Amino acid sequence: MSKIYLIYSTFSSEQEALLVARALVEKRLAACANVHAGITSVYHWENKLEEAPEVALTAKTTADKLKNAMDEVKRLHSYEVPCIIACPIEAGFPPYIQWIRDEVA
């Protein structure tokens, strides 16, 4: 069985995050995507300390779809160097984990 992954990315606007979320789910690259508005990110960029409002996206997918899903996030992303990371899900409610597998199959 294919391992389950959580993809995390941040965006400058809710509209952009929703565009990516919809694309991932419509293309069956993710079973579900959550958009979390109202976060603040603190980071260095071009030798300056930055603090900016952002919107986070989390999406659930399988190992089989992970590369294509991450490629789709990158394709639609407006940042020069976007945060696009994936973490394996080690455990979860079995019916939900199966639902993820079924949705991206």
Side-chain angles (χ1 to χ4, degrees), residues 18-89:
L18 284 168
L19 173 84
V20 173
R22 287 186 190 109
L24 291 173
V25 175
E26 285 173 1
K27 294 179 177 187
R28 301 252 181 212
L29 296 173
C32 174
N34 308 109
V35 174
H36 313 274
I39 68 168
T40 301
S41 295
V42 180
Y43 54 95
H44 279 104
W45 183 251
E46 297 179 345
N47 295 318
K48 283 181 34 187
L49 183 63
E50 300 284 344
E51 186 172 315
E54 287 193 302
V55 177
L57 175 137
T58 54
K60 285 73 99 189
T61 192
T62 60
D64 296 341
K65 298 287 178 100
L66 183 60
K67 182 186 180 326
N68 289 342
M70 292 177 72
D71 287 348
E72 183 71 358
V73 174
K74 173 59 178 122
R75 184 181 76 77
L76 296 170
H77 213 295
S78 64
Y79 288 176
E80 182 181 338
V81 182
C83 167
I84 306 170
I85 59 174
C87 303
I89 306 281

